[in-house]
Amino acid sequence: MYNEASLNALLNREGSEENNSMNASSRSSESVSLGLNTYHDIIKAPAIDPLTGLCSKEQFFLLAREFDKRHPLEGVDAIVLNYNKFHLINELYGRKFGDKVLCAIADCVSETAKEHGGIACRYDADKFYMYIKHQKDYDFLVHQVSDRLAHMMKTPDIRVRIGIYPDLFKDATLEQRFDRAIQACNSITKGHATSYEIYDSKMHEKEMFEARLLDSIGSAFAENQFSLAFQPKYNVHGSMPRLTSAEVLIRWKHPEFGLVKPDFFIPLFEENGIIRQLDRYVWREAAAQIRRWKDELGYSIPVSVNVSRVDIFDPDIIDYLKQIITDYGISASDLHLEITETAYTDNVEQIVSVVKELQKEGFMVEMDDFGKGYSSINMLTTLPLDALKLDIGFIKDIAENNKGKNLLGCILEIAKLLNLTVIAEGVENSKQYFLLKNAGCDVIQGYYFSKPLASSEFRNLLVTEG
Ligand code: C2E
Ligand code: MG
Ligand code: MG
C-alpha cells in the first residue's frame, strides 16, 4: 500500500523545473498540502497490480490527475504500450513464463517512467500506460522495451506497439488523451514501418467521423438505413456447383456519408457495445426473410449470420437465438452461425461452452476467417465446430505460392478427419476456384460466383437455382 510519504514522493518526483529546484522543506510542505479528499481517494483505490507490483490503473489515474493539478504548465505525454500477438508467448511457453515476461516489461516501463519524471501502470493483460514528461521522440522507449523482450526469448513475430498523445497544453481530459493514445497504438498494424505512432490530425478526423456515426445510430434503426445483403455459397462437389446457402452481410446506407463499410463500423460498434443490438437485428431480419421465402416459394436454404466475438459474452445469446427460431417458425438448421477465429483465441473456455450449447440446440457453427489469426491446428481438434471458413488472405496465398498449396492440403486432410466442412471465401477467379475444388474444398463463396446481393436478387437466384 502507498503511504502518504511515498505518494507525495511520486507526485513531486522530478516534476517541473520549478519543483526540481525545490528544497526538501518546500517539498514536504507541498506534501502536506495534498488535499484530504485526494489523499483519501488515492488511499482507497486498489493500490497495486498484484502480478507486476506496478500501481493499479485506479491509482495511476488519480496520481496523473493530481500531477496535472500541481503542474498545469508542464507538457506531459499519455502513452499506451502493448505487444502484438502477446498471447503467442502464453501459447508457446506457457502462462507462467508469460507472467514472467509481463513482470520484466513492467520493470522496464516503470524504470523508464521514473527516469522521465512520470508514472506507469499495467492497464490490463499486456497493455501498459505511462504518463511522462513530454519527449521529442520515442525511439529510446522502443529500444528499451524491445531489448527487454529479446533478452528473454526469440519470437520475432511479437512486436511492441506504442501510441502517444503528446499534450503540451492539456487541452483534452485525461481519459480522452489515453483514448487517443490507444487510437495511435491501434493504427500500428502489420507491416507498419515504425513501432510508435503519435496521434495526429488524420486520427482526429477519424475520431470525429466515428463520433458522428455513433451519434446517428438511433436514426439509422428508426429510418431503416440498415439492410441485409446475401452472398451465395456453392457446394462444389460434383460436376456442377450447387447453390447451398448464403452469408448475410449488413449494409448501412447513411444519409450523409453514403454506403459505410462494415469493416469500418463493426469494430466501432464492438468497442461501444452497440454490436449486440445490431447483430440481434440482423439475426431477426435474416430469420424473417427465411420465413418469407418459405411462405412464398415453399422452400428456402440455410443462411449464415455473423456473430461478433462480443456476442459470445452475452449471457442471453442462446435463449435469444432460440426465441428467434420460435418466433418465425423456422428451425435451428436454417440459421448457421459464423464466429470469427479470433473470438476462439481470445477466450477459449467461454467460447467452447457457448458453442457446445448452440450445437446442442441444433445450430451449425462455422469458424470464420480461419488463417487470419493464430489458432493452432492443435486447437482445431479440441474446439466444437461444424465448418471452417478459410480467410480471403489465405485464398490469395494459395494461388500464388506452393507453400500455401501444401498448407491447404494439410488443412483439408485435418478437416476431413475432424468431419468439418471446409468453405473458402473471397474466391475471385477460376484459378482459385479450380485449385480449391480439386484439392477437395466443399463449399465456395466469392465474387467468382457472385457479389453479395439484395434480398430480391437473391430470391431470383433461389427461384432459378434453389
Ligand atoms: P466476413 O464475415 O469474413 O465476410 C466476408 C467479406 O468478404 C464480406 O465483406 C464480403 O463482401 C467480402 N467478400 C466476399 N467475396 C469476396 C471476394 O471474392 N473478394 C473480396 N475482396 N471480398 C469478398 P463485407 O460485407 O464488407 O463485410 C466485412 C466484414 O464485416 C465481415 O467479414 C464480417 O466480419 C463483418 N460483418 C458483416 N456483416 C456483419 C454482421 O451482420 N454482424 C457482424 N458482427 N459482423 C458483420
Ligand atoms: Mg462471415
Ligand atoms: Mg470471413
Side-chain angles (χ1 to χ4, degrees), residues 380-429:
L380 278 188
T381 61
T382 54
L383 293 175
L385 272 182
D386 298 292
L388 268 191
K389 277 193 90 172
L390 308 180
D391 184 57
I392 292 184
F394 183 69
I395 303 302
K396 291 216 161 88
D397 280 354
I398 56 161
E400 273 154 30
N401 61 55
N402 274 333
K403 216 166 123 194
K405 269 178 226 156
N406 295 339
L407 194 56
L408 173 70
C410 291
I411 291 170
L412 284 163
E413 245 172 74
I414 291 164
K416 225 169 254 164
L417 280 174
L418 298 171
N419 226 356
L420 297 176
T421 302
V422 177
I423 305 165
E425 70 179 337
V427 177
E428 293 183 343
N429 53 50

Side-chain angles (χ1 to χ4, degrees), residues 191-365:
H192 206 84
T194 55
S195 290
Y196 76 85
E197 206 47 77
I198 295 177
Y199 185 86
D200 60 15
S201 59
K202 250 170 99 187
M203 290 180 206
H204 189 64
E205 271 166 34
K206 185 171 174 251
E207 190 188 342
M208 294 298 110
F209 178 52
E210 288 179 349
R212 289 177 67 190
L213 280 186
L214 289 173
D215 246 14
S216 52
I217 287 189
S219 48
F221 279 110
E223 293 164 15
N224 289 326
Q225 292 166 15
F226 291 115
S227 64
L228 270 49
F230 295 80
Q231 188 175 33
K233 295 181 184 179
Y234 284 84
N235 183 310
V236 295
H237 291 305
S239 55
M240 287 293 282
R242 191 166 42 83
L243 180 65
T244 178
S245 62
E247 175 174 12
V248 175
L249 296 155
I250 185 88
R251 295 291 176 257
W252 185 2
K253 200 156 176 231
H254 194 283
E256 197 182 337
F257 306 125
L259 206 62
V260 189
K261 284 173 91 74
D263 274 339
F264 186 83
F265 67 82
I266 296 286
L268 178 69
F269 285 12
E270 286 180 334
E271 260 171 47
N272 290 279
I274 299 153
I275 194 70
R276 179 167 176 257
Q277 188 188 359
L278 184 82
D279 277 349
R280 285 181 169 213
Y281 169 83
V282 172
W283 304 340
R284 200 161 262 287
E285 288 294 306
Q289 185 61 77
I290 295 172
R291 180 72 263 154
R292 281 196 292 275
W293 285 328
K294 279 186 196 290
D295 291 342
E296 290 166 21
L297 308 173
Y299 62 89
S300 74
I301 53 173
V303 303
S304 59
V305 290
N306 286 285
V307 175
S308 158
R309 84 199 65 193
V310 179
D311 298 322
I312 301 299
F313 294 95
D314 177 354
D316 300 330
I317 182 177
I318 294 155
D319 286 344
Y320 192 80
L321 282 162
K322 275 166 64 183
Q323 190 60 49
I324 291 180
I325 299 301
T326 313
D327 290 349
Y328 293 96
I330 61 174
S331 77
S333 60
D334 287 321
L335 212 53
H336 295 189
L337 307 172
E338 297 194 11
I339 307 179
T340 187
E341 183 197 52
T342 46
Y344 283 85
T345 44
D346 279 356
N347 194 325
V348 181
E349 277 158 37
Q350 175 82 7
I351 201 152
V352 166
S353 87
V354 172
V355 171
K356 274 191 177 152
E357 203 55 38
L358 287 168
Q359 286 178 319
K360 229 172 37 200
E361 296 298 333
F363 292 100
M364 302 280 276
V365 177

Side-chain angles (χ1 to χ4, degrees), residues 13 45-46 55 74 91 107 109 127 138 150 153 161 169 179 198 224 259 270 299 322 325 367 419 421 435:
R13 186 179 51 214
C55 76
E74 190 169 345
E91 275 170 36
D107 286 347
V109 163
K127 193 191 284 166
Y138 274 94
M153 51 173 214
R161 303 189 312 163
F169 311 108
D179 283 350
I198 295 177
N224 289 326
L259 206 62
E270 286 180 334
Y299 62 89
K322 275 166 64 183
I325 299 301
M367 186 197 268
N419 226 356
T421 302
L435 214 149

